[in-house]
Amino acid sequence: MTESARLAPQRRAVILDIVRRDGAVRVADLVEQLGVSDMTIRRDLDVLARAGSLSKVHGGAISASVTTGDEPPFETKAALESRAKSAVAEAASALVKPGSVVAISGGTTSYAVAARLRDVAGLTVVTNSLPVAQLLRPTGAEPGPEGPTLLLTGGTPTKSASLVGPLADQAIRSLQVDLLIIGAHGVSERAGATTPNLAEAQTNRALIDCATQVAVVADHTKWGVVGLSRFIALSEIDYFVSDDGLDPEACAVLRDSVGQLLLGTTHP
């Protein structure tokens, strides 16, 4: 018996402990921590995924409990697919024009877009995301002339630090924005963009209704994932922004269904 085979049960126990504790794990981190090859780790993840103990995503794995009916915390999701999210954010931020009014939903990909908008002149940002609000809030007594004006909705925070519910919906319905940047838990041809949180889906629909144009931002690992509640069909999306890791079949579906497909590049 090889050393790697002999230690397989112990390795897999360590992997499960990390996923249960943190909600997610990266292959690269496991290679370094466990001192085995990338291929060995991927085989371990395959075994654990077949057993239903976790769910594989590109570059790592997440807890099986958060794939469709539950939602991981903002901090957990922020650690996943950082390069892909950066590529998506770079492409999506090019849609934002100086002097416009932009709504930004909750989620780590939307947050990555917001991080690129701090220097857009004359921008007004409406958001139901507590992390986005913290990111964009003025640091001095008054907003700088080039910084965004920030409007934060009320509401009840979710695990992903999004404000949702009747208070958020009522505030959003009184507004009109030029562009909505909105993330998704999952996207599929049949279901469109979905979330596991029913209240968040309702608030997302309020954001969509107040927007002239809608840009859904989702890295390639979101394709084929279906959450509990749909908030927008593919045909209603003006821009779908993903990264160059998106499957060619998914690209074909999206090009036929959405207004425009934009792919950020993950390569320098």
Side-chain angles (χ1 to χ4, degrees):
M1 181 181 296
T2 66
E3 181 71 0
S4 123
R6 184 175 65 81
L7 295 177
Q10 292 95 321
R11 282 198 316 271
R12 292 164 191 166
V14 170
I15 292 169
L16 283 178
D17 283 343
I18 295 171
V19 170
R20 288 165 181 160
R21 182 191 69 209
D22 299 337
V25 68
R26 297 172 61 234
V27 169
D29 293 337
L30 290 173
V31 168
E32 181 177 355
Q33 180 173 341
L34 298 176
V36 293
S37 69
D38 178 282
M39 186 176 297
T40 297
I41 293 298
R42 292 184 187 278
R43 282 198 298 264
D44 288 341
L45 295 181
D46 285 337
V47 171
L48 293 170
R50 285 195 297 270
S53 302
L54 51 73
S55 294
K56 290 182 66 180
V57 296
H58 182 77
I62 61 175
S63 170
S65 65
V66 301
T67 52
T68 56
D70 198 3
E71 183 177 24
F74 181 90
E75 295 79 9
T76 297
K77 294 190 293 183
L80 296 172
E81 300 300 333
S82 58
R83 180 178 293 182
K85 287 174 184 174
S86 179
V88 174
E90 193 67 29
S93 62
L95 298 172
V96 178
K97 308 301 181 186
S100 61
V101 181
V102 177
I104 302 177
S105 77
T108 55
T109 309
S110 300
Y111 179 89
V113 179
R116 288 161 170 78
L117 303 182
R118 285 176 286 192
D119 296 325
V120 177
L123 190 66
T124 298
V125 174
V126 176
T127 187
N128 69 322
S129 166
L130 292 172
V132 169
Q134 180 67 21
L135 176 72
L136 297 180
R137 71 181 180 86
T139 55
E142 296 293 336
E146 298 300 319
T149 299
L150 179 65
L151 300 175
L152 178 65
T153 70
T156 303
T158 66
K159 285 184 181 179
S160 60
S162 301
L163 297 174
V164 301
L167 289 177
D169 299 349
Q170 182 177 358
I172 291 165
R173 290 192 187 103
S174 67
L175 304 173
Q176 183 64 36
V177 305
D178 299 308
L179 176 68
L180 167 63
I181 304 290
I182 188 166
H185 172 79
V187 185
S188 75
E189 181 177 8
R190 179 184 61 82
T194 58
T195 173
N197 188 306
L198 292 173
E200 185 168 36
Q202 184 63 35
T203 298
N204 283 350
R205 293 186 195 108
L207 285 167
I208 291 163
D209 288 344
C210 81
T212 301
Q213 292 188 306
V214 177
V216 173
V217 292
D219 71 71
H220 67 277
T221 65
K222 302 295 183 65
W223 183 258
V225 176
V226 179
L228 182 63
S229 182
R230 178 173 77 174
F231 57 86
I232 190 169
L234 294 185
S235 61
E236 300 173 289
I237 298 170
D238 297 292
Y239 302 98
F240 189 90
V241 191
S242 191
D243 63 273
D244 54 9
L246 191 64
D247 183 87
E249 292 184 7
C251 290
V253 169
L254 288 163
R255 288 193 177 99
D256 288 342
S257 304
V258 305
Q260 188 173 351
L261 173 64
L262 304 174
L263 299 178
T265 178
T266 55
H267 305 292

